[in-house]
Amino acid sequence: MPDELSPAEIIAESAGPKAASSATAEANGDAEVYSPRLAGSKDMIVTEHVDKWFGDFQALDDVSLRIKEHEIVVILGPSGSGKSTYIRCLNRLEEHDAGRIVIDGIELNEDVRALAAIREEVGMVFQQFNLFPHLSVLSNITLGPQKVRHMPKLEAEALAMQLLERVGIPEQADKFPSQLSGGQQQRVAIARALAMQPKIMLFDEPTSALDPEMIKEVLDVMQELAESGMTMIVVTHEMGFAREVADRLVFFDEGALVEQGTPEHFFTNPREERTKLFLSQIL
Ligand SMILES: Nc1ncnc2c1ncn2[C@@H]1O[C@H](COP(=O)(O)OP(=O)(O)OP(=O)(O)O)[C@@H](O)[C@H]1O
Ligand SMILES: [Mg+2]
């Protein structure tokens, strides 16, 4: 499925300045808490009965999922089970056909201002980094803050350098993406998303295109981000990361949310046959 985005979409999707959101009451609900550290956290992402169709193919089937602020959710499932479609619906790279999606109290609907507000809160990192090849590493990161947030150039560059430090590659600032390893490129992509100061980060198989020796450096950055309090949804087959970092694992199959639980539940006592079969194939 297409992960290719126009430059405008890439900026938009990882966009923006932080407007305070008041409408959280509706989204505050009774989500089950999967980790003691999340007790008292508000609901950050609420999806209720979400359906998505591509023509007459149903890619998402009645998906309901509530995610707490600061929660780390790993989504698992076979190819074609709707994992990417689900997270792409959360910032409307795909439009859902039925059900509700509420991000930090803002309902995702036809209202373009709601969409803009949500895209200010949600950063996304893809399997295929999607960096701008003609821009330096530094410019890849400063572009969004300058264009979308109208941040002065020097300030944007200082922010970019700070983020490059955070992802461990400040020395790569002046190179072009093609001069970097895959792991380095993906860390630039993470820094670029963080430059927009999102409240939520969505990762769609961020290490699947990487050589094995580069996977850890990206997972380490993601782990640091998780520990910093970011709310994250991560589609990944990296079971070590899932076990160590996730508060909750969610298993999709054929567009449906089949089972969810703590890592311990999944690794010791999965309930559904489909979950057991999937885990037996990847563990
Ligand atoms: N734009 C599209 N047009 C038509 N069908 C699509 C489109 N995007 C996704 N699909 C279909 O929807 C289903 C779910 O796709 P999705 O990409 O969400 O799966 P996935 O779980 O992310 O799989 P993978 O692990 O291979 O990335 C697949 O059958 C896919 O072919
Ligand atoms: Mg996918």
Side-chain angles (χ1 to χ4, degrees):
M1 67 157 292
D3 260 350
E4 296 302 320
L5 297 174
S6 71
E9 280 178 309
I10 288 176
I11 292 169
E13 101 213 347
S14 55
K18 301 292 109 255
S21 139
S22 56
T24 52
E26 197 176 20
N28 276 339
D30 49 359
E32 206 173 328
V33 173
Y34 284 81
S35 170
R37 75 185 188 89
L38 301 170
S41 290
K42 67 175 178 179
D43 287 352
M44 190 61 127
I45 300 169
V46 176
T47 43
E48 290 175 346
H49 307 294
V50 170
D51 291 339
K52 172 68 188 171
W53 295 80
F54 292 111
D56 55 9
F57 176 81
Q58 187 165 16
L60 291 178
D61 181 1
D62 196 26
V63 175
S64 293
L65 182 61
R66 282 168 182 259
I67 294 170
K68 293 279 187 191
E69 185 171 31
H70 310 306
E71 186 167 10
I72 312 301
V73 172
V74 163
I75 299 183
L76 308 170
S79 183
S81 58
K83 307 178 299 294
S84 296
T85 303
Y86 176 72
I87 65 170
R88 290 166 64 85
C89 281
L90 298 180
N91 63 358
R92 221 172 176 76
L93 293 178
E94 303 289 356
E95 284 182 30
H96 59 294
D97 296 308
R100 294 177 76 216
I101 299 178
V102 182
I103 308 287
D104 197 17
I106 308 166
E107 177 147 11
L108 193 51
N109 51 31
E110 305 303 322
D111 179 357
V112 291
R113 281 164 52 201
L115 177 59
I118 285 171
R119 285 189 171 164
E120 286 174 6
E121 306 221 347
V122 181
M124 192 153 175
V125 173
F126 301 89
Q127 182 174 342
Q128 304 292 347
F129 332 127
N130 288 342
L131 296 173
F132 301 112
H134 60 291
L135 295 181
S136 71
V137 163
L138 197 73
S139 299
N140 263 279
I141 302 171
T142 57
L143 185 68
Q146 284 189 260
K147 295 272 188 238
V148 181
R149 303 187 60 186
H150 311 293
M151 192 184 277
K153 185 166 187 269
L154 286 179
E155 197 182 321
E157 286 179 354
L159 172 66
M161 284 312 300
Q162 208 180 324
L163 289 165
L164 284 171
E165 293 274 357
R166 185 169 176 188
V167 302
I169 45 172
E171 74 285 356
Q172 307 297 339
D174 297 325
K175 288 194 185 165
F176 286 89
S178 62
Q179 298 171 305
L180 268 51
S181 73
Q184 290 168 334
Q185 288 185 60
Q186 191 60 298
R187 286 187 281 164
V188 174
I190 294 171
R192 182 179 60 182
L194 293 177
M196 306 307 287
Q197 300 178 323
K199 290 187 184 168
I200 297 167
M201 286 282 285
L202 309 175
F203 292 87
D204 194 354
E205 303 205 33
T207 60
S208 298
L210 300 178
D211 292 336
E213 68 272 20
M214 291 166 196
I215 291 175
K216 185 174 181 302
E217 66 195 32
V218 172
L219 292 178
D220 284 348
V221 167
M222 291 167 60
Q223 180 160 3
E224 186 272 327
L225 199 54
E227 287 164 359
S228 79
M230 186 64 76
T231 305
M232 292 168 44
I233 303 182
V234 184
V235 178
T236 186
H237 300 298
E238 291 295 328
M239 289 301 115
F241 179 87
R243 192 187 290 255
E244 283 272 305
V245 181
D247 297 298
R248 175 167 24 158
L249 271 49
V250 174
F251 176 67
F252 275 62
D253 196 20
E254 296 181 346
L257 195 166
V258 171
E259 184 164 3
Q260 55 180 315
T262 61
E264 193 196 353
H265 165 82
F266 267 76
F267 291 119
T268 60
N269 194 24
R271 187 182 62 236
E272 302 292 332
E273 287 308 319
R274 284 192 279 178
T275 315
K276 290 179 192 169
L277 178 65
F278 176 76
L279 289 172
S280 73
Q281 287 163 348
I282 61 163
L283 288 176

